[in-house]
Amino acid sequence: MPALATVPGKSAARVRDDILGRMPGTNAAYVAAVAFCGAIVAWALFAWGYQVVGGFGHTGIRRPTYWGFYIVNFVFWIGISHAGTLISAILRLTGANWRKPVTRAAEAITVFCLMIGGMFPLIHIGRVWLFYWMIPYPNERLLWPNFRSPLFWDLTAILTYLFGSLIYLYLPLIPDLAELARRSAGAKRRLYLFLSLGWTGSDRQWQALERAMKLMSLVILAIAVSVHSVVAYDFSMSVAPTWHNTIFAPYFVVGAIFSGIAALVLVMAVLRKLMCLEDYLREIHFVNLGKLLVLMSLIWLYFTFSEHLTTWYGNLPGEIRVFNIREHGLYGFLFWTMVACNFAIPFVLLGISRLRSIFTIALSSAAVLLGMWIERFLIVVPSLSTPYLPAAWGDYAPSWVELSITAGTFAAMALLYLLFVKAFPIIAIWEYDDGISAR
Amino acid sequence: MEYLHAEYQRTEDLAAAIRLLQADGVSRRALELYSRRPVEAVTQLLPRRSRMSLGAVLSAIAVGTGATVLMYWIQLDYPLVTGGMPIVSGWATAVVTFEATMAGAVFGTLLMLLKESGLVLSRRRAPVPDLPDEGAVLQVECETGAPSIRALLKNTGASRIEVVDSAA
């Protein structure tokens, strides 16, 4: 006869105490980590300020390569944001129990990546103080935004995704916030109480929450697919060599899910180590995600092959030039590094069961993240630096400003995560069910 | 009126108590279960009516339609010629319409959750029991006294029964 509200192996109370007990305290190591990441972020902000004051000439972005590191980073971070959607929404809808310890980490990745990725269009427009021109409001000059521009589609898609993801992260946090309020005192308690909206744990509330999460999973999935499709439309609606094709939207979505899973695995591996979550984030979670990673690697390879084969077979002068410099010209080394990182490394390390371990899965994920960043670079830069008119060809090399801002985004991701795990449990306590010992 | 708070440690006991109370004429509305985790077996015995899906769909339609109408009005108000496209085109505005529709669905779901869970806009003012570390508390709203209900709760394995006055 099952006891009420227990999980296999551990009582519910023990799980609660355990997970809440692993939230990091304000010790020297934590402060040092925050300070380190904060310093890099501060440097990136300084670099951005330098660019805002001095102008875009401080970047390496110039004719004909108008999109450089900023758009590469934009596509990369928006891609990673698909981690939360895939792991949480798809697995929630399919009733995969093993997802439960990893959903919150994934949902947090989505929100933070969107915050970071969403900054790049602002950085990229240069005159950031004119950003509000994108908002449709009747101004004195009667100028409205161009709704037919994919850049405006980006704005709406990313804002919708950010809004949806924030809600999707927040809703399952509410019961845990009430739990935190019960265990806190003073200002912290008041904050948690406020955020928990007066959650009492009644069956009406549980039923409403579960219903809302199912609905949100459906909606957020549709939004996620649309967001990366819209990011792909930025490219495929342009008449630049190799960009104007129909495969880009699904290709980008596949790449996004691929890099999202890799980011989630890496974050989980770090959290597991630093927060001693070995009891909760078990090898089987990594193995399951590793299998998904291999699957996505194969799908990515299929799309990459299809895209490149079509370009090669078409043999159009403008496109074949980009094809050649990408594969065995200036960017050849990057191209083959990308193939190694996105296919060869995960396929070997995760395909051979003897080599499969948490370490190799995390290593493969790191390789995939590097590979996917390179892929974004190879989509953006070679096509722009080698336009149809040979007289317009040019080079691109990032300046220290772009490199600093790029480094700052990775530090910002780490910083946001550090702050998040300090304030909120990284495993959804009420949802926790290891889903393994129950089998 | 008073509220009885009965604490249970086992799902079977709780389910039996709910079944017997309902057979005894206690309405679903008078029963409320409090726990730190959702109790799935009990969800089937105490299903709550929901219009969340309808709310989400209506909100999606409203926001999507509103955004589309706004775009059409703006494009007619300030005709902007872009790449030979028609001034007003369903293709060119489909993405924004879709995103607005989805934003409406998210917004509608959130509003309906707040309403149906009683987190906001709740008119129910029942006393909230302290949640036990394990187990759940069944709240029964009944006439003052109600010895038969108390006996029923005791017989179905409630580990603790508390009486709370409605004024509390």
Side-chain angles (χ1 to χ4, degrees):
Chain A
M1 298 281 261
L4 193 73
T6 59
V7 289
K10 277 184 182 176
S11 71
R14 167 99 191 276
V15 168
R16 270 194 300 274
D17 294 342
D18 213 20
I19 294 175
L20 293 175
R22 315 245 170 147
M23 287 164 70
T26 316
N27 54 29
Y30 181 83
V31 172
V34 169
F36 178 70
C37 295
I40 298 175
V41 172
W43 175 254
L45 288 173
F46 166 75
W48 185 19
Y50 186 75
Q51 177 198 298
V52 168
V53 172
F56 237 59
H58 290 305
T59 68
I61 296 169
R62 49 186 49 90
R63 194 179 62 83
T65 316
Y66 292 114
W67 289 0
F69 262 37
Y70 294 154
I71 299 301
V72 173
N73 288 327
F74 166 68
V75 181
F76 176 75
W77 285 110
I78 298 293
I80 291 181
S81 72
H82 281 56
T85 312
L86 179 95
I87 299 305
S88 188
I90 295 183
L91 299 182
R92 190 184 291 275
L93 285 174
T94 53
N97 241 8
W98 63 267
R99 78 182 155 81
K100 290 183 176 177
V102 305
T103 48
R104 184 157 299 154
E107 289 155 11
I109 290 177
T110 297
V111 172
F112 300 151
C113 286
L114 281 172
M115 287 160 70
I116 293 168
M119 290 291 291
F120 278 103
L122 299 183
I123 298 170
H124 184 73
I125 59 175
R127 288 187 281 177
V128 67
W129 56 92
L130 299 180
F131 168 71
Y132 68 96
W133 284 10
M134 288 288 283
I135 311 292
Y137 75 102
N139 59 36
E140 69 274 13
R141 295 191 299 159
L142 289 176
L143 279 175
W144 294 97
N146 179 9
F147 295 106
R148 283 164 288 181
S149 163
L151 299 179
F152 184 80
W153 303 350
D154 257 347
L155 177 83
T156 51
I158 289 170
L159 286 181
T160 304
Y161 195 29
L162 184 59
F163 170 59
S165 303
L166 267 173
I167 304 288
Y168 194 67
L169 173 68
Y170 176 61
L171 292 186
L173 250 177
I174 293 174
D176 289 351
L177 289 166
E179 187 64 43
L180 282 165
R182 272 182 219 117
R183 292 163 184 251
S184 313
K188 244 182 165 182
R189 180 180 155 77
R190 282 196 294 277
L191 177 69
Y192 285 133
L193 267 180
F194 173 74
L195 290 174
S196 66
L197 305 173
W199 179 269
T200 57
S202 72
D203 66 284
R204 271 172 226 276
Q205 293 182 339
W206 285 120
Q207 286 187 37
L209 180 64
E210 294 202 331
R211 213 172 279 130
M213 287 310 292
K214 274 188 191 150
L215 267 175
M216 283 294 298
S217 299
L218 282 171
V219 176
I220 211 82
L221 264 180
I223 299 174
V225 171
S226 79
V227 168
H228 225 66
S229 299
V230 169
V231 171
Y233 295 155
D234 290 344
F235 295 87
S236 57
M237 303 294 166
S238 313
V239 188
T242 74
W243 280 7
H244 192 60
N245 67 46
T246 54
I247 205 174
F248 256 32
Y251 185 31
F252 269 50
V253 172
V254 164
I257 295 171
F258 187 29
S259 56
I261 297 171
L264 177 63
V265 170
L266 208 57
V267 166
M268 277 170 54
V270 173
L271 289 176
R272 184 178 193 266
K273 194 81 188 157
L274 295 182
M275 295 175 70
C276 307
L277 291 170
E278 287 84 356
D279 290 351
Y280 299 92
L281 301 176
R282 298 187 192 175
E283 190 165 2
I284 193 153
H285 296 120
F286 287 88
V287 169
N288 284 347
L289 287 171
K291 285 175 187 167
L292 272 178
L293 200 67
V294 174
L295 174 71
M296 294 312 298
S297 169
L298 292 172
I299 297 175
W300 173 87
L301 187 73
Y302 163 66
F303 270 85
T304 306
F305 177 76
S306 298
E307 203 235 339
H308 283 76
L309 177 67
T310 313
T311 307
W312 178 82
Y313 204 89
N315 201 25
L316 297 170
E319 300 214 332
I320 205 72
R321 267 196 302 269
V322 175
F323 179 89
N324 285 334
I325 63 161
R326 200 186 276 165
E327 241 165 73
H328 41 79
L330 182 61
Y331 302 107
F333 174 73
L334 284 178
F335 179 84
W336 292 109
T337 306
M338 171 190 80
V339 174
C341 289
N342 285 353
F343 173 67
I345 293 174
F347 196 75
V348 170
L349 290 183
L350 306 181
I352 302 170
S353 58
R354 266 184 300 136
L355 296 179
R356 214 182 290 143
S357 67
I358 293 177
F359 176 72
T360 55
I361 296 169
L363 190 68
S364 305
S365 301
V368 167
L369 285 178
L370 175 65
M372 286 310 293
W373 193 93
I374 294 173
E375 192 220 40
R376 284 23 176 142
F377 180 85
L378 289 175
I379 288 173
V380 174
V381 174
S383 292
L384 284 177
S385 59
T386 321
Y388 286 112
L389 283 176
W393 291 356
D395 291 331
Y396 169 74
S399 71
W400 69 269
V401 172
E402 289 158 282
L403 292 170
S404 302
I405 291 175
T406 301
T409 59
F410 287 92
M413 181 70 188
L415 182 64
L416 287 168
Y417 235 96
L418 280 169
L419 298 176
F420 183 80
V421 296
K422 174 138 182 69
F424 307 107
I426 196 63
I427 293 173
I429 303 168
W430 66 273
E431 262 197 310
Y432 179 74
D433 173 353
D434 64 7
I436 297 151
S437 39
R439 285 190 301 191
Chain B
M1 293 294 283
E2 68 180 15
Y3 292 91
L4 294 177
H5 287 171
E7 190 178 320
Y8 286 88
Q9 297 299 325
R10 289 153 52 91
T11 312
E12 292 79 6
D13 296 343
L14 186 57
I18 293 171
R19 266 192 222 103
L20 288 172
L21 283 166
Q22 288 182 335
D24 210 34
V26 178
S27 73
R28 232 180 258 167
R29 189 175 279 206
L31 296 174
E32 189 89 45
L33 183 72
Y34 292 87
S35 58
R36 292 193 182 200
R37 287 164 59 88
V39 185
E40 281 177 26
V42 175
T43 305
Q44 291 156 3
L45 292 169
L46 284 176
R48 306 293 182 185
R49 200 169 156 211
S50 172
R51 291 207 173 96
M52 198 179 284
S53 307
L54 180 67
V57 169
L58 290 180
S59 170
I61 292 171
V63 178
T65 308
T68 309
V69 169
L70 180 73
M71 274 189 294
Y72 274 62
W73 173 65
I74 289 173
Q75 289 178 51
L76 292 172
D77 184 51
Y78 189 82
L80 195 62
V81 179
T82 314
M85 281 187 226
I87 294 298
V88 173
S89 161
W91 279 106
T93 48
V95 170
V96 181
T97 299
F98 175 81
E99 297 300 341
T101 306
M102 291 297 116
V106 171
F107 190 62
T109 305
L110 178 66
L111 280 186
M112 292 304 287
L113 167 75
L114 293 177
K115 185 181 176 296
E116 290 186 359
S117 63
L119 289 172
V120 177
L121 309 170
S122 172
R123 271 175 282 172
R124 200 165 187 274
R125 287 287 173 263
V128 178
D130 287 332
L131 297 184
D133 272 350
E134 306 280 347
V137 176
L138 180 65
Q139 183 183 70
V140 188
E141 188 181 354
C142 54
E143 295 295 328
T144 309
S148 62
I149 293 180
R150 235 180 274 191
L152 188 151
L153 293 173
K154 202 171 179 185
N155 291 339
T156 47
S159 57
R160 193 164 58 91
I161 300 175
E162 247 179 34
V163 183
V164 183
D165 196 80
S166 60

